[in-house]
């Protein structure tokens, strides 16, 4: 087998043993590394950059970083130092790439073939966007979108719209959104968007724009490629474009982290099935497990603290495993009663895979 790729320099502080390095800009957490203590340590958290990260010197004076707030009654450019005096909130949430689970699409869509690891449950601290907006007189009329622009310096000679990271979400999402400077108790590392990141809880990762330079309330969605045609739920054979649904809020999902096939042959008898479950834009209510590929289900029990509706819950279920080969699956339900589906929704780029069947695992017991 080929030697694992080494960690790129900007993430040399990460735990290499817990990560699968796909490329310089894409690394996922190993399924076996999630543990059972709810929070994903920053050094095990996945990384996904559409562009190479900015020069680390942007962290030299974090409080001096500026963000332009537009589309409010009194637009202003604010420093991180000023934002720190405007309000404070801490939110635990699932950060998950839109393409997490893409590796289970038989069509092998273009893009990173993540399995479960482009996701983590992390804690952000920052100022609520609604507090900033209120201080600047409120959203100016006629702006149904909140548009965040990343601070990467774009390579010359290319159409900026074709590469810039700029995403629009409904203005209503500002209610729970943060302009964050802290991740899991530390200043946000460069890889995760420091010095300042827009956090949109309940939405897929791409909507939480790193190195945010501009937060604008706008009459239209951004026409940058990453908004207009990328991250769209495009049915097979059709062409991506603004008419297709944008990948935004997440829905109910779960998966098992233990036991795993790489644990080798298990001993027949009592076994504990462990995993994680989350609701996405709503809270998760319950989760069930199956040891026969989804024919029969039994309830699992949540363990650990409940960190709010945007966080994931970890679960455990005690089962009896007879000798043989078993397909273990988990299936979550959210507070609205939506059940994690058996099948993925087929789409060209392999987004939003919540299929319990795709995430099932097969173990051998003797
Ligand atoms: N931001 C910016 N500025 N840039 C880039 O590239 N990416 C995205 C987000 N944000 C970006 C941003 C994505 S796409 C994702 S996922 C996320 O981010 C990730 O995160 P981390 O921290 O993990 O790396 Mo898919 O949906």
């Amino acid at each position: 087998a080929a030697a694992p790729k080494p960690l790129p320099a900007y993430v040399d502080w990460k735990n290499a043993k817990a990560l699968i390095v796909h490329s310089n800009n894409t690394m996922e957490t190993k399924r076996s590394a999630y543990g059972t203590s709810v929070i994903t340590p920053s050094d095990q958290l996945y990384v996904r950059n559409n562009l190479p990260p900015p020069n680390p010197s942007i962290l030299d004076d974090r409080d001096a970083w500026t963000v332009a707030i537009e589309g409010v009654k009194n637009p202003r450019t604010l420093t991180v130092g000023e934002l720190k005096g405007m309000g404070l909130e801490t939110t635990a949430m699932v950060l998950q790439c839109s393409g997490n689970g893409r590796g289970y699409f038989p069509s092998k869509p273009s893009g990173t073939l993540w399995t479960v690891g482009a996701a983590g449950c992390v804690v952000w601290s920052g100022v609520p966007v609604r507090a900033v907006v209120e201080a600047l007189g409120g959203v100016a009329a006629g702006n149904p979108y909140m548009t965040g622009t990343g601070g990467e310096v774009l390579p010359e000679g290319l159409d900026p719209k074709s590469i810039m990271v700029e995403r629009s979400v409904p203005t209503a999402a500002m209610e729970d959104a943060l302009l964050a400077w802290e991740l899991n108790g530390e200043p946000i590392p460069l890889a995760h968007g420091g010095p300042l990141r827009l956090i949109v809880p309940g939405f897929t990762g791409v909507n939480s724009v790193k190195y945010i330079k501009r937060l604008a309330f706008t009459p239209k969605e951004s026409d940058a490629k990453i908004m207009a045609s990328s991250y769209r739920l495009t049915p097979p054979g059709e062409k991506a474009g603004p008419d297709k649904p944008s990948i935004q809020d997440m829905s109910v999902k779960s998966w098992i982290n233990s036991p795993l096939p790489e644990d080798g042959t298990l001993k027949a008898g009592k076994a504990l099935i462990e995993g994680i479950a989350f609701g996405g834009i709503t809270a998760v209510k319950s989760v069930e497990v199956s040891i026969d590929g989804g024919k029969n289900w039994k309830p699992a029990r949540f363990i650990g603290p409940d960190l709010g509706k945007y966080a994931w819950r970890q679960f455990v279920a005690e089962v009896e495993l007879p000798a043989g080969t078993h397909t273990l699956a988990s299936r979550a339900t959210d507070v609205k009663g939506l059940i994690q589906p058996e099948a993925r929704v087929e789409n060209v780029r392999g987004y939003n895979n919540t299929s319990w069947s795709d995430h099932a695992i097969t173990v051998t017991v003797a």
Side-chain angles (χ1 to χ4, degrees):
K5 290 195 191 92
L7 289 170
Y10 74 103
V11 286
D12 60 5
W13 52 274
K14 290 220 175 223
N15 178 348
K17 286 202 186 88
L19 293 163
I20 301 162
V21 179
H22 292 285
S23 73
N24 271 358
N25 292 325
T26 50
M27 287 141 249
E28 73 173 293
T29 310
K30 286 186 185 162
R31 196 166 182 165
S32 56
Y34 279 109
T36 53
S37 314
V38 189
I39 296 301
T40 309
S42 301
D43 68 353
Q44 304 190 17
L45 181 63
Y46 83 100
V47 177
R48 196 284 190 252
N49 281 311
N50 297 63
L51 290 169
N55 191 296
S57 65
I58 67 168
L59 301 183
D60 289 350
D61 185 357
R62 289 169 176 268
D63 284 356
W65 179 266
T66 59
V67 57
I69 315 289
E70 299 170 12
V72 289
K73 300 231 171 69
N74 308 304
R76 256 192 76 180
T77 293
L78 295 163
T79 63
V80 170
E82 289 170 311
L83 289 170
K84 285 180 175 169
M86 295 176 77
L88 182 61
E89 204 159 273
T90 294
T91 304
M93 67 148 207
V94 175
L95 181 70
Q96 178 183 231
C97 181
S98 310
N100 198 29
R102 180 184 287 129
Y104 300 123
F105 279 71
S107 57
K108 300 285 175 256
S110 74
T112 306
L113 295 175
W114 315 102
T115 58
V116 299
C121 185
V122 291
V123 185
W124 305 97
S125 285
V127 59
V129 171
R130 55 170 202 284
V132 177
V133 165
E134 207 187 308
L136 302 187
V139 175
N143 290 321
Y145 299 102
M146 177 170 80
T147 298
T149 311
E152 286 102 337
V153 177
L154 303 177
E156 274 175 55
L158 291 170
D159 174 8
K161 296 273 181 200
S162 70
I163 44 174
M164 71 195 299
V165 176
E166 186 172 87
R167 293 284 301 175
S168 303
V169 295
T171 290
M174 81 171 187
E175 286 309 316
D176 287 336
L178 301 179
L179 285 169
W181 48 81
E182 198 177 292
L183 165 65
N184 287 348
E186 291 169 329
I188 303 179
L190 187 73
H192 298 297
L196 191 70
R197 182 170 188 174
L198 175 66
I199 297 301
V200 188
F203 285 57
T204 61
V206 69
N207 299 291
S208 287
V209 175
K210 308 184 200 185
Y211 334 107
I212 187 149
K213 271 316 261 178
R214 174 177 172 259
L215 183 67
F217 293 90
T218 54
K220 288 192 177 141
E221 287 180 351
S222 169
D223 59 356
K225 179 170 178 275
I226 196 170
M227 185 71 209
S229 63
S230 302
Y231 300 88
R232 296 274 169 179
L233 201 79
T234 307
E238 293 185 31
K239 199 174 168 303
D243 57 315
K244 302 294 187 301
S246 183
I247 306 295
Q248 298 195 326
D249 48 295
M250 298 189 288
S251 47
V252 64
K253 183 170 179 179
S254 71
W255 65 78
I256 290 167
N257 289 325
S258 176
L260 293 174
E262 57 259 43
D263 299 333
T265 303
L266 305 170
K267 260 224 200 91
K270 187 177 128 177
L272 296 181
I273 298 183
E274 298 160 17
I276 63 96
F278 58 98
I281 196 76
T282 55
V284 63
K285 191 180 76 191
S286 58
V287 60
E288 305 156 286
V289 297
S290 171
I291 58 168
D292 56 10
K295 286 188 206 76
N296 297 284
W297 295 92
K298 77 172 252 183
R301 179 170 60 83
F302 287 137
I303 50 168
D306 180 351
L307 297 178
K309 68 172 178 175
Y310 296 122
W312 66 30
R313 299 297 312 267
Q314 287 178 309
F315 65 81
V316 67
E318 198 179 302
V319 296
E320 277 298 319
L321 289 181
T325 297
H326 307 287
T327 298
L328 312 183
S330 67
R331 182 176 76 174
T333 301
D334 73 9
V335 288
K336 288 191 175 152
L338 294 173
I339 304 175
Q340 185 180 350
E342 176 169 5
R344 74 191 92 83
V345 174
E346 296 297 343
N347 67 93
V348 177
R349 294 298 304 274
Y351 296 126
N352 281 0
N353 192 350
T354 61
S355 153
W356 61 252
S357 157
D358 281 358
H359 292 79
I361 51 174
T362 300
V363 294
T364 309
V365 178

